[in-house]
Every structure is written in C-alpha cells, then in structure tokens.
C-alpha cells in the first residue's frame, strides 16, 4: 500500500497520525472542515518534528514535513488514496455523517479506519454503502511517539481490509494488535480502566495519596511494563513460570477481586478532591508545560526502546 494516505481531522490526533505516515515515506493529505484548525496544522506539525529531531528520534524533519499537505477540499484530499484515517470528534452521529461523506470520494478498495477510542465500527459504519471496508484503528495519544494501535474490525469487516491495516501499521513502525471482538473500550482502555477503578477505591478509602499512587506505577509496575507486559512479567516472577506464579499468588488475587463488590467511585465529590490534590502538585497554569515535558520524556523513552530492539 504505497498510495497516498488521507487523514481526516487535523486536531492533535490527526496531526500525530500525519507524522506517523509521512515519517514512513507516505504522501499524506490532511483535511479538516474547520479552516482555522487546518491553517495552524502544518506549524504545529513542524514544531513537533523539530522537538523529535532535537531528542534524536527523527533524522530529517524537513523531509517528513514536505510529505504532508493540507487540503481544504475533501474531494481533493481523498482522490486516489488507499487508506483513510478518520480523526473526527468522538460522537457517533458525527462519525456516521463524516464517513458517509468520505465514502463518496474514494474507490471501493479504500480502507476506512477510525481513530475512535470506543465507538464500534459496526455502529458508525452501518450507513455506508460498503461497511465491509470499515474498521477501528485506535491509537494511543500521541501515536507519533507511542506505537500501539488497536485494530478492531466489525463482524462484517472484510479480511483483506483487516490484513491490509495490520500490515500498514507494521510498515509505518507502529505495533498493531488485533481485537477479535467488538467490546466496549477495546483492550487498552479496559485494562487502564481496571487499574484506575482500583486506584480510585484505594484513594477514596484513605489507603494512599494521589502522588504515591503515581509513584507506585512510575517506580514499580511502569519500569517493567515499559519493555514487557503483565503476562511476561508474572511468567518471569516465579521459578516455574506463569502457572507456578498462578498457584502461588492466584488465591491472593482472587481474594482481592472478591472485595471489589462496589462500583468504582467516579463521583463528583471524589473527583473534586482529586483535582484539588493534583493542583497542589501541579498548578493549572503549568499543565501545558508539563504536557510538553511528558512528550519529551516519551521521545527519550522511544529512542531508548528502539535502540534496544
């Protein structure tokens, strides 16, 4: 698949996707219906590329930038493309309308992938003439620095479309996983949600502070999870491997899980308490600077992991 790629939606995720594809040598056409968003897109991409160049995770920022063009006309942006990465708002009605419009300007073989975080392809693709070429390709923010992509087909999605998307993601340096069934939240958000639910319970019950919760991940689980997942972690944490680990610690985890009878406390009062404690650690005025710090740390981690692999 070396045809041009269209990215529909020039917000944060769309711009990062444009970098992913252009970095791998693809011609990328970036479209957005909002002229103001589109106008600033190339400058934002250029600034991000310069930061990546400075951190050593990119060799030639100019070469990448020249492969990205912004298009104010949808038909022009979609002409002769082999793949569309839709990055519209997380709203079912808007996605349906947007994909119906996209379908009018692409060939029958063009893959239509959505960056949605949780809307199944069977729902937003139901109004298409050819829903079988529609699926989810859910990135982790920002995809230009974090490589995981969840590829989630609908039951009706054509196997060729699935295979082509998995191959494209691998070709552009991402790490695709195939989610075999449409489940709410896909895989990553279900795992993240389980951890967040337990973290909220521990905080609500006065077991641990907000900062110490983050330290537990930052200096504990996160160090191993940065280069191997939880299944490999426990496989290596017992002399007899994963089955041995299960026999040793399974009863403990079963008892803990049995205690989680109440729903996770995503209540306004607790969220206000969390907000107040986080703002003591990080004033709102410093939030954007801390986001930029995060991205620089991700660049450093990306460089290290790529060198190791």
């Amino acid at each position: 698949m070396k045809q041009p790629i269209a990215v529909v939606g020039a917000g944060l995720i769309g711009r990062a996707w444009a970098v992913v594809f252009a970095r791998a040598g693809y011609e990328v056409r970036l479209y957005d219906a909002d002229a103001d968003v589109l106008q600033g897109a190339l400058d934002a991409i250029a600034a991000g590329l310069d930061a990546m160049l400075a951190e050593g995770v990119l060799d030639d920022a100019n070469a990448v930038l020249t492969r990205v063009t912004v298009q104010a006309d949808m038909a022009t942006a979609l002409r002769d493309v082999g793949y569309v990465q839709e990055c519209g708002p997380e709203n079912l009605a808007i996605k349906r309308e947007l994909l119906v419009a996209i379908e009018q300007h692409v060939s029958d073989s063009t893959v239509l992938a959505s960056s949605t975080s949780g809307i199944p392809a069977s729902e937003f693709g139901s109004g298409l003439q050819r829903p079988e070429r529609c699926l989810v390709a859910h990135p982790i923010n920002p995809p230009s620095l974090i490589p995981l992509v969840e590829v989630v087909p609908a039951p009706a999605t054509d196997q060729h479309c699935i295979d082509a998307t998995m191959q494209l993601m691998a070709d552009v340096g991402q790490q695709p996983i195939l989610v075999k069934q449409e489940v709410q939240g896909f895989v990553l958000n279900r795992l993240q949600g389980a951890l967040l639910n337990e973290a909220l319970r521990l905080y609500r019950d006065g077991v641990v502070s907000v900062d110490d919760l983050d330290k537990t991940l930052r200096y504990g689980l996160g160090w191993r999870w940065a280069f191997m997942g939880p299944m490999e972690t426990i496989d290596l944490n017992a002399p007899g491997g994963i089955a041995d680990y299960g026999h040793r610690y399974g009863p403990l985890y079963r008892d803990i899980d049995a205690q989680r009878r109440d729903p996770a406390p995503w209540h306004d009062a607790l969220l206000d308490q969390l907000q107040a404690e986080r703002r003591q650690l990080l004033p709102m005025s410093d939030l954007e600077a801390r986001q930029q710090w995060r991205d620089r740390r991700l660049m450093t981690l990306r460089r290290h992991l790529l060198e190791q692999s």
Side-chain angles (χ1 to χ4, degrees):
M1 188 188 290
K2 269 297 183 181
Q3 294 171 267
I5 288 176
V7 177
V8 176
L12 183 64
I13 296 295
R15 296 195 302 266
W17 269 124
V19 170
V20 169
F21 297 128
R23 186 173 58 196
Y26 283 85
E27 175 194 342
V28 180
R29 300 172 191 163
L30 185 59
Y31 166 81
D32 200 290
D34 188 324
D36 292 335
V37 170
L38 200 60
Q39 184 176 5
L42 282 182
D43 287 341
I45 290 172
L49 292 173
D50 287 343
M52 294 171 71
L53 185 67
E55 292 292 337
V57 292
L58 189 68
D59 294 329
D60 190 339
N62 288 331
V64 177
L65 190 62
T66 57
R67 297 188 192 108
V68 181
T69 59
V70 294
Q71 300 288 346
D73 177 66
M74 179 182 283
T76 302
L78 297 174
R79 185 177 298 127
D80 299 325
V81 300
Y83 179 92
V84 177
Q85 187 73 45
E86 176 270 316
C87 304
E90 192 74 0
N91 178 288
L92 177 57
I94 293 175
K95 285 197 181 294
R96 280 177 172 168
E97 183 179 352
L98 186 56
L99 284 161
V100 167
I102 289 170
E103 192 177 40
Q104 307 309 308
H105 302 291
V106 297
S107 71
D108 288 346
S109 61
T110 302
V111 176
L112 305 183
S114 175
S115 298
T116 176
S117 298
I119 303 175
S122 58
E123 293 188 13
F124 60 72
S126 59
L128 297 176
Q129 296 176 5
R130 293 203 54 201
E132 67 273 10
R133 41 85 166 274
C134 187
L135 45 65
V136 169
H138 171 228
I140 315 306
N141 184 31
S144 52
L145 299 177
I146 303 177
L148 183 75
V149 180
E150 296 181 288
V151 177
V152 194
T157 305
D158 185 79
Q159 186 63 46
H160 174 73
C161 174
I162 300 170
D163 294 342
T165 304
M166 293 288 289
Q167 186 62 56
L168 173 64
M169 292 301 154
D171 288 346
V172 299
Q174 302 300 93
Q175 292 289 337
I177 67 164
L178 179 61
V179 182
K180 299 178 182 179
Q181 299 178 31
E182 288 189 320
V183 293
Q184 185 179 19
F186 311 141
V187 173
L188 183 136
N189 279 330
R190 291 180 75 95
L191 292 173
Q192 180 171 244
L195 193 150
L196 287 173
N197 287 343
E198 184 63 15
L200 284 180
R201 292 188 188 98
L202 291 168
Y203 176 78
R204 174 201 61 189
D205 296 342
V207 175
V208 67
S209 70
V210 165
D211 194 32
D212 283 347
L213 275 169
D214 279 348
K215 285 181 180 178
T216 303
L217 272 293
R218 189 189 313 153
Y219 300 117
L221 294 174
W223 277 39
R224 294 182 299 204
W225 287 359
F227 56 88
M228 62 181 182
M231 295 297 104
E232 185 175 7
T233 295
I234 65 173
D235 194 32
L236 301 181
N237 275 5
I242 194 167
D244 184 20
Y245 185 96
H247 293 140
R248 291 170 183 259
Y249 302 106
L252 169 66
Y253 291 131
R254 280 197 298 269
D255 287 347
I256 292 172
D257 199 53
Q259 298 167 23
R260 301 185 181 108
R261 299 184 185 279
D262 60 323
W266 292 90
H267 304 311
D268 288 346
L270 188 67
L271 293 176
D272 289 343
Q273 187 178 341
L274 284 165
Q275 175 80 343
E277 195 166 329
R278 276 298 303 162
R279 295 291 68 84
Q280 290 178 356
L281 296 167
L282 180 71
M284 187 62 73
S285 58
D286 295 339
L287 195 64
E288 184 176 353
R290 189 65 171 177
Q291 290 169 339
Q292 294 172 356
W293 168 87
R294 174 204 63 194
D295 286 352
R296 291 194 300 271
R297 302 322 306 148
L298 283 170
M299 292 175 198
T300 302
L301 179 61
R302 180 182 176 89
R303 184 180 69 244
H304 169 72
L305 294 176
L306 289 174
E307 288 171 353
Q308 295 301 308
S309 63

